[in-house]
């Protein structure tokens, strides 16, 4: 007789930065609900995420978001197999809200608790998008807090080959946007403005670092934009924000694409995956697609809603952790600087 495997349905919570999110995910790849309550409008008033406000908003939102995720999935808490939650890295106060809520649910129901690394979640968004994707592959993780090149050799196994030595890619987008008067969050605004600008209008540096390095550095580029803008202002010349956006973006993307392709070649993997908020950037998606077509790599890119912070990606990651026997006790604490691959 054929063996009948039971479905594993996980309720996941994500609150590491400025989105309060909850999702229900079946067998890692089927999203039954994906509820995201964004605080972006609130933080826009201050030009960036204010940690205390983020924590307070998470407290107000978390219960409603979880209830809504169960409701949209048409499931009760009883029918859930495990509770997953991001426990790092991120803002400690923000992480603690989601973690405490998840622990309370796990305690009250007696269901297993699974703590997930936020970046692992971002990478796993690719499994939701592309149901056939399996390791090994090279992942470029570019978000507001991280820029990592990660070799995913098998499920749950991550080797960080390179990371940013200063600013994350998304951070550079956000800071440059502020300098050219576009406000927070800068990524989507620069993305849109760059479409109307000339990428060759200004030559900004492309920072590749040492030949064999997979690390990134974006602070020099950010300073170059700042210097350019100040110089233009001193000379009484009006800046063209669209041209600066397009030229800045060209420098960022050329480095991201070249290093990812090099890493995939060096480590002899045939697949590349993008992850993190900056992976929703239209120019990065286009350029990476072109490079992968040219070099013969399979490319996985999650839909934009799965690139920025969400809980479905946490539910997916949790499925693979849970399947390999990993759960956590109620003593699990938030780890703001949690390293990928550490438990
Ligand atoms: O992954 P994410 O939602 O949160 C973190 O874990 O940090 O990433 C947020 C970052 C922000 O810096 C935002 O400006 C950037 O992703 N971002 C973008 C785009 N959409 C969001 N950057 C470039 N182009 C975009 N379309
Ligand atoms: Zn994120």
């Amino acid at each position: 007789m054929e063996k009948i495997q039971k479905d594993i349905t996980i309720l996941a919570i994500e609150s590491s930065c400025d989105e309060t999110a909850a999702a229900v995910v079946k067998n890692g790849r089927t999203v039954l609900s994906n509820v995201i309550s964004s605080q972006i409008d609130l933080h826009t008033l201050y030009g960036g995420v204010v940690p205390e406000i983020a924590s307070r908003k998470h407290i107000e939102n978390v219960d409603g978001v979880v209830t809504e995720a169960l409701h949209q999935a048409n499931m009760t808490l009883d029918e859930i197999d495990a509770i997953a939650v991001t426990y790092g890295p991120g803002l400690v106060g923000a992480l603690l809200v989601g973690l405490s809520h998840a622990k309370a649910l796990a305690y009250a129901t007696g269901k297993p608790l699974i703590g997930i690394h936020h970046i692992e979640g971002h990478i796993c968004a690719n499994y939701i998008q592309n149901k056939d994707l399996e390791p090994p592959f090279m992942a470029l993780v570019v978000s507001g807090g991280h820029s990592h090149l990660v070799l995913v050799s098998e499920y749950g196994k991550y080797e960080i080959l390179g990371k940013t030595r200063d600013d994350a890619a998304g951070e550079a987008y956000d800071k440059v946007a502020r300098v050219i008067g576009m406000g927070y969050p800068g990524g989507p605004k620069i993305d849109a403005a760059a479409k109307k600008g000339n990428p060759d209008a200004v030559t900004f540096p492309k920072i590749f670092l040492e030949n064999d390095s997979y690390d990134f550095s974006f602070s020099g580029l950010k300073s170059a934009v700042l210097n350019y803008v100040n110089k233009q202002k001193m000379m009484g010349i009006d800046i063209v924000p669209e041209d600066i956006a397009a030229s800045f973006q060209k420098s960022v993307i050329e480095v991201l694409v070249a290093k990812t392709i090099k890493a995939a070649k060096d480590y002899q993997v045939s697949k590349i995956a993008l992850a993190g908020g900056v992976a929703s950037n239209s120019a990065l998606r286009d350029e990476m697609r072109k490079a992968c077509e040219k070099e013969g790599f399979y490319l996985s890119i999650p839909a934009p809603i799965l690139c920025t912070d969400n809980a479905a990606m946490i539910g997916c990651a949790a499925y693979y952790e849970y399947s390999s026997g990993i759960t956590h006790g109620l003593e699990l604490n938030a780890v703001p600087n949690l390293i990928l691959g550490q438990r």
Side-chain angles (χ1 to χ4, degrees):
M1 213 172 78
E2 210 179 299
K3 192 176 155 201
I4 299 169
Q5 276 197 325
K6 187 192 169 307
D7 286 333
I8 303 288
T9 308
I10 294 179
L11 169 67
I13 301 174
E14 153 66 43
S15 70
S16 65
C17 191
D18 58 350
E19 333 276 357
T20 323
V24 178
V25 180
K26 189 170 85 176
N27 297 333
R29 305 219 183 197
T30 305
V31 179
L32 302 182
S33 65
N34 188 20
V35 179
I36 304 167
S37 167
S38 176
Q39 308 175 4
I40 282 182
D41 291 349
L42 195 62
H43 297 287
T44 300
L45 299 172
Y46 305 93
V49 178
V50 183
E52 287 79 5
I53 295 180
S55 312
R56 212 177 312 145
K57 272 286 150 191
H58 285 311
I59 293 172
E60 285 172 23
N61 291 341
V62 68
D63 193 40
V65 166
V66 167
T67 304
E68 184 59 22
L70 286 167
H71 173 74
Q72 285 185 18
N74 202 15
M75 292 192 83
T76 63
L77 205 46
D78 268 356
E79 294 167 310
I80 296 290
D81 293 291
I83 318 282
V85 65
T86 307
Y87 74 108
L91 302 169
V92 68
L95 287 165
L96 278 170
V97 177
L99 180 60
S100 308
H101 199 83
K103 284 205 251 184
L105 291 178
Y107 179 67
T109 59
K111 314 248 179 209
L113 176 74
I114 310 161
I116 294 295
H117 191 291
H118 182 74
I119 299 294
E120 176 177 17
H122 273 304
I123 293 172
C124 289
N126 284 282
Y127 297 137
I128 298 173
Q129 186 70 39
N130 293 301
K131 310 284 181 222
D132 300 329
L133 177 68
E134 293 198 332
F137 57 87
M138 190 61 64
L140 172 69
V141 188
V142 271
S143 72
H146 309 272
S147 304
H148 282 20
L149 255 176
V150 182
L151 175 65
V152 184
S153 49
E154 48 189 85
Y155 287 111
K157 195 154 177 233
Y158 306 98
E159 187 184 339
I160 302 174
L161 304 178
K163 52 174 137 178
T164 183
R165 294 187 187 168
D166 37 63
D167 292 351
E171 207 177 339
Y173 266 91
D174 293 337
K175 286 180 181 167
V176 164
R178 202 176 309 161
V179 169
I180 57 177
M182 290 184 180
Y184 175 85
K189 293 196 171 139
I190 289 196
D191 191 351
K195 288 189 179 132
K196 299 180 220 141
N198 172 9
D200 300 313
V202 193
T203 307
F204 289 126
K206 298 179 183 97
I207 316 239
F208 282 94
L209 302 168
E210 307 81 36
N211 268 345
D212 57 346
S213 174
Y214 300 115
D215 281 350
F216 300 104
S217 166
F218 295 109
S219 73
L221 171 59
K222 178 192 67 189
S223 304
V225 175
L226 187 62
N227 289 341
Y228 172 81
V229 170
N230 286 340
K231 227 185 239 169
Q232 298 299 99
K233 278 187 186 157
M234 264 161 43
M235 292 191 294
I237 303 169
D238 285 340
I239 58 161
V240 183
E242 292 79 8
D243 284 350
I244 298 176
S247 303
F248 156 77
Q249 186 163 269
K250 185 181 173 185
S251 284
V252 174
I253 291 175
E254 250 184 71
V255 174
L256 292 177
V257 171
K259 291 215 177 212
T260 308
I261 297 283
K262 182 178 184 308
K265 281 184 183 169
D266 290 351
Y267 283 81
Q268 297 176 350
V269 292
S270 60
K271 291 174 268 186
I272 288 174
L274 295 189
V278 183
S280 53
N281 181 270
S282 54
L284 173 60
R285 296 162 86 93
D286 288 348
E287 292 306 316
M288 194 66 89
R289 228 175 253 134
K290 277 187 219 155
C292 286
E293 263 166 35
K294 183 165 166 252
E295 303 284 350
F297 290 107
Y298 167 92
L299 176 64
S300 167
I301 315 181
I305 192 70
L306 293 171
C307 287
T308 43
D309 287 349
N310 66 87
M313 66 186 197
I314 303 302
C316 173
Y319 171 79
Y320 291 102
E321 296 285 329
Y322 188 58
S323 303
S324 63
I326 291 163
T327 60
H328 292 91
L330 293 176
E331 71 286 352
L332 183 67
N333 205 351
V335 185
N337 55 356
L338 186 66
I339 293 167
L340 186 63
Q342 260 185 9
R343 299 206 194 280

